[in-house]
Amino acid sequence: MKKPISTKKITIYSVSALIILIIFVIIITTNWSKDYEEDHEIDLTYEEPVVAEPTYIFGICADNYDIAENTINKNQVISDILSEYNVPQTTIYQLDKISKDTYSLRKLHQNNTYRLFLTKDSVPQAHYLVYDISTIDYVVYAFKDSIYSYLGALPTDTIINRISGTIDISLWDAMIDCGAKPVLAVDLADVYAWTIDFFGISKGDAFDVIYEEIYVEDELVGTGKILASNFITSGKNHLAFYYEDKDNKGYFDEDGNSLRRQFLKAPLSYSRISSGFSYARKHPITKKVRPHLGVDYAAPSGTPVYSVGDGVVIDKGWDKKGGGNYLKIRHNSTYTTLYMHLKGFAKGITKGSKVSQNQLIGYVGSTGASTGPHLDYRVFKNGSAINPLKMEAPPVEPIKATQLPAYKEYINENLELLRRQ
């Protein structure tokens, strides 16, 4: 008779069998998993969900707004615009007070663009107003929660351009013919304000200008500085270079002399010279022959008149001898200028007022003994009248000799360009 297997041995056999089964399952599972991964290339990497970046326009998160663009209409005020979109009058009043420190709501000009950021509700409400001060600069008025305003500017790109032209009709027309913005003619006149009489330029005069063009994205929005130029009048070159360092800022010639002078060539934009400097002129009203110790500039009534240099108003009033409203400015111990037949005086101009070069001082008129609107402009040197058209005003400080090598190295490339025609 066989001896029965003990319970202990059965347990050992069972455990052994179970272990063998587990090992078998592990082997089979591992091989299957490898085969599956090879066949299916399971990607177990975790990807972050894509979250859209918020859209900012003029520093405002625009995602929750509709933007309405328009222009300022004639005689339209800010309360007209904002009231239409449920902005309370109290808010508009507070905004008017706060904005004086940035850009006053009262300075908004007709035809300038503005944008309203409106809630996407059945009854839209304005939360922001953005006003274009220029093609680059803007101001944001905010009244969503708190009331405030701030200035901003669009990002710009600057490129260097060069144009050359010859005057046929006018400098303005010549700029247009060259494909440049005509305002460049004004900038060029400012560069040479002390050395060239732009009312005396004539057909055949020429210019060569290296200047900055300002772009917003791909749109040309304006001109920057004139970096270098040559204006040729009567065959004579007038070179100008912009230069700036810790001691100098402005336009200089190729030798480092400043183009700025103590006096402007003329105190106004005029139509023509109706009467020149003379010691024997027949007066148009009295018909008597007497000296005319100045220059008469014919110009429309109300044309702005500017001080030709820094100085102090030493006399202002009415000239009983026929000069009408007049101003007298002492510029230094040598030079004094006189402006007569004025329609009126600029605000704040009184006897004793300090004035700066190119500061508005009055307006062309026909007061006193006058046959039409004009400015009688006179210059006195050491108390004696001199011909304003022949006055050689001394230049301001040139670039110092110790700084001249750095200046000449700086302008050399543009100087060579301007010499190549």
Side-chain angles (χ1 to χ4, degrees), residues 2 6 20 38 46 65 101 134 205 325 352 356:
K2 291 183 179 180
S6 68
I20 292 170
E38 289 175 359
Y46 173 74
Y65 293 102
D101 295 330
S134 67
D205 289 344
N325 290 320
S356 302

Side-chain angles (χ1 to χ4, degrees), residues 95-105 139 149-151:
L95 188 63
D96 182 46
K97 289 181 64 177
I98 291 171
S99 65
K100 290 177 181 177
D101 295 330
T102 50
Y103 194 87
S104 174
L105 292 173
V139 59
S149 63
Y150 59 88
L151 296 170

